[in-house]
Amino acid sequence: MKQNRILSTIVIAQFGCTSIWFASNAVIDQLITAYSFPDNAMSVLTSAVQLGFIAGTLSYALLNLTDKYSPSTVFLISALIGASANYAITWVTPSLLYFSSLRFLVGFFLAGIYPVGMKIAADYYQKGLGKSLGYLIGALVIGTALPHLLRGSFNDLSWQVVFVSTSALCATGGILIRIFVPDGPHRRPAQKIKLNQTFLIFRDKKFTSAALGYFGHMWELYTFWALVPAIISFSVSSETSISPSILSFGVIGIGSVACIVAGRLSQHIEPSRIAYANLLGSGLCALGAGLLVIIGYPPLIYGFLLVWGWLVIADSPMFSTLVANSAPAHLKGSALTLVNCIGYAITIISLLCIGYLYRSFGLYFALPALAIGPVLSWILHQQDNHNKTPVIKHEKITTNR
């Protein structure tokens, strides 16, 4: 009973805290119209959050904060500061520079929320970690999609209300963790901070293999989420009266169910099999997406997007499980944080590259390029499995004469 209460609290807190992540994306059209932001404002603001997250995860990992100090306390402080930075956007002069600076701070302190939430779950659930992370990352997905739902449900909702409401949810999530989720029974605090210690875990081939799979997944995930509103506006929304924001929420939000299903399946199927099956599936979706946009049949495109929205995130809790299980117990929090740091650095490269292709050549050429990460990671995984295949040596039998 206590374990269920702990997991429910972590899930609710993660949902509330991660709602600040894509708040600007849900209202970007309002910002562009009201304040004459440039057309690339969405890429700028999204990249600012991701850059902040990279800087935050690197700082948290190098200082071993989640292994040295109470993860629940780190989570609370990060949530309160992140919520404050998100709320402050409603008070500053509406310029892209100020917005980007505050979005950078939001990303920085999200580094003390998302990976730390996974660390807290890992401290409680050594067995069934895949199931727990399925629910946890499912909450992240719903939190990420929430601003789209808010915007789509209230057409006249101002962008300020979106930022205020998501800030309140974030602060509430941090408080819930601190009050109801003490340090887990499997926590192993680091005895001394060593700035180079965390990087040594990449010497472990099992850990490195899991991390490489996660990196390929990250090349696709956030760029796909960022492009969902554009794909829907270009291909789907003209044929329906449903708000494009609601349709975007559906494509992103279905990933929450996918994570939960993947987590439950991991109790019966090896997590790596689930991870790479979904990774390959999402890569194939990316390869075929350009052709589907050319065909231009809205119901087919939206159904395809729902499938893609499922596959693109279902592998995430599995890769996080593989990373957590292959990291040393006393560095588990820092390992998760460092892998997140590198993964989100990859999202910046992806956003810039795919964004350039989108602006220069259109969705037809941009979407297939999302397959680069998943396909490369899948190929590396296949090669790794081939190298691990045992070789039977036939010894030469000799007799003494």
Side-chain angles (χ1 to χ4, degrees), residues 5-17 71-73 75-77 79-80 113 120 124 167-183:
R5 177 181 62 80
I6 291 290
L7 180 59
S8 299
T9 304
I10 299 173
V11 167
I12 293 171
Q14 193 83 315
F15 160 72
C17 290
S72 297
T73 301
F75 191 103
L76 170 65
I77 294 172
L80 292 179
I113 295 171
I120 293 171
Y124 274 94
S167 297
L169 285 171
C170 182
T172 302
I175 294 170
L176 286 174
I177 285 288
R178 187 64 186 87
I179 294 175
F180 297 109
V181 185
D183 293 340

Side-chain angles (χ1 to χ4, degrees), residues 302-340:
Y302 192 70
F304 176 85
L305 287 174
L306 289 174
V307 173
W308 196 0
W310 179 289
L311 294 172
V312 77
I313 188 63
D315 52 359
S316 189
M318 300 299 98
F319 282 125
S320 295
T321 299
L322 294 171
V323 168
N325 286 341
S326 58
H330 67 289
L331 287 176
K332 191 166 293 186
S334 296
L336 285 166
T337 305
L338 180 60
V339 168
N340 271 262

Side-chain angles (χ1 to χ4, degrees), residues 357-385:
L357 291 175
Y358 172 46
R359 291 189 299 273
S360 302
F361 306 103
L363 287 170
Y364 318 106
F365 294 94
L367 295 178
L370 289 173
I372 293 172
V375 170
L376 283 178
S377 291
W378 188 82
I379 291 173
L380 289 173
H381 175 67
Q382 294 304 308
Q383 290 179 342
D384 187 50
N385 282 345

Side-chain angles (χ1 to χ4, degrees), residues 52-392:
F53 189 85
I54 294 164
T57 49
L58 187 59
S59 300
Y60 280 67
L62 288 178
L63 296 175
N64 285 3
L65 291 180
T66 54
D67 294 309
K68 185 68 175 178
Y69 304 105
S70 166
S72 297
T73 301
V74 173
F75 191 103
L76 170 65
I77 294 172
S78 301
L80 292 179
I81 300 177
S84 299
N86 193 60
Y87 176 68
I89 290 176
T90 63
W91 288 88
V92 301
T93 302
S95 75
L96 190 57
L97 176 60
Y98 289 143
F99 276 33
S100 299
S101 299
L102 287 170
R103 294 303 290 167
F104 177 90
L105 286 177
V106 167
F108 187 95
F109 289 102
L110 276 167
I113 295 171
Y114 172 41
V116 176
M118 291 193 293
K119 157 67 174 172
I120 293 171
D123 287 344
Y124 274 94
Y125 305 96
Q126 285 194 324
K127 293 183 178 180
L129 180 59
K131 176 184 174 182
S132 303
L133 291 183
Y135 281 103
L136 193 63
I137 297 178
L140 162 72
V141 175
I142 288 293
T144 299
L146 179 64
H148 292 287
L149 178 63
L150 290 174
R151 178 70 200 287
S153 301
F154 307 97
N155 291 327
D156 57 347
L157 190 69
S158 70
W159 64 266
Q160 291 94 337
V161 173
V162 172
F163 280 103
V164 170
S165 58
T166 52
S167 297
L169 285 171
C170 182
T172 302
I175 294 170
L176 286 174
I177 285 288
R178 187 64 186 87
I179 294 175
F180 297 109
V181 185
D183 293 340
H186 303 296
R187 179 174 179 250
R188 297 292 182 269
Q191 299 302 311
K192 183 179 180 181
I193 294 177
K194 296 181 180 178
L195 297 182
N196 65 338
Q197 190 177 54
T198 305
F199 289 97
L200 298 179
I201 56 179
F202 281 100
R203 292 180 177 178
D204 186 291
K205 292 183 179 180
K206 186 177 179 181
F207 178 87
T208 301
S209 177
L212 288 175
Y214 178 78
F215 298 155
H217 150 79
M218 290 300 286
W219 169 270
E220 179 187 23
L221 177 63
Y222 276 87
T223 304
F224 170 72
W225 278 352
L227 286 175
V228 163
I231 300 170
I232 288 175
S233 297
F234 181 80
S235 307
V236 178
S237 60
S238 61
E239 300 293 326
T240 177
S241 59
I242 302 174
S243 165
S245 293
I246 294 293
L247 294 173
S248 298
F249 172 79
V251 173
I252 298 173
I254 196 172
S256 176
V257 182
C259 290
I260 293 171
V261 171
R264 296 187 72 87
L265 283 176
S266 69
Q267 295 182 292
H268 310 286
I269 302 174
E270 173 63 33
S272 64
R273 294 180 61 187
I274 301 173
Y276 283 100
N278 283 281
L279 186 71
L280 178 61
S282 63
L284 293 175
C285 284
L287 287 173
L291 177 61
L292 207 65
V293 170
I294 293 174
I295 293 174
Y297 182 58
L300 178 62
I301 293 174
Y302 192 70
F304 176 85
L305 287 174
L306 289 174
V307 173
W308 196 0
W310 179 289
L311 294 172
V312 77
I313 188 63
D315 52 359
S316 189
M318 300 299 98
F319 282 125
S320 295
T321 299
L322 294 171
V323 168
N325 286 341
S326 58
H330 67 289
L331 287 176
K332 191 166 293 186
S334 296
L336 285 166
T337 305
L338 180 60
V339 168
N340 271 262
C341 173
I342 299 172
Y344 280 86
I346 291 171
T347 69
I348 294 293
I349 301 172
S350 175
L351 281 164
L352 292 174
C353 294
I354 307 302
Y356 170 78
L357 291 175
Y358 172 46
R359 291 189 299 273
S360 302
F361 306 103
L363 287 170
Y364 318 106
F365 294 94
L367 295 178
L370 289 173
I372 293 172
V375 170
L376 283 178
S377 291
W378 188 82
I379 291 173
L380 289 173
H381 175 67
Q382 294 304 308
Q383 290 179 342
D384 187 50
N385 282 345
H386 177 73
N387 292 335
K388 290 178 181 177
T389 301
V391 178
I392 301 176

Side-chain angles (χ1 to χ4, degrees), residues 2-43:
K2 180 182 177 181
Q3 294 278 18
N4 291 336
R5 177 181 62 80
I6 291 290
L7 180 59
S8 299
T9 304
I10 299 173
V11 167
I12 293 171
Q14 193 83 315
F15 160 72
C17 290
T18 55
S19 66
I20 64 176
W21 206 312
F22 267 52
S24 60
N25 294 60
V27 295
I28 191 64
D29 56 336
Q30 282 190 359
L31 297 175
I32 290 175
T33 301
Y35 304 111
S36 300
F37 285 178
D39 291 339
N40 68 339
M42 183 190 71
S43 297

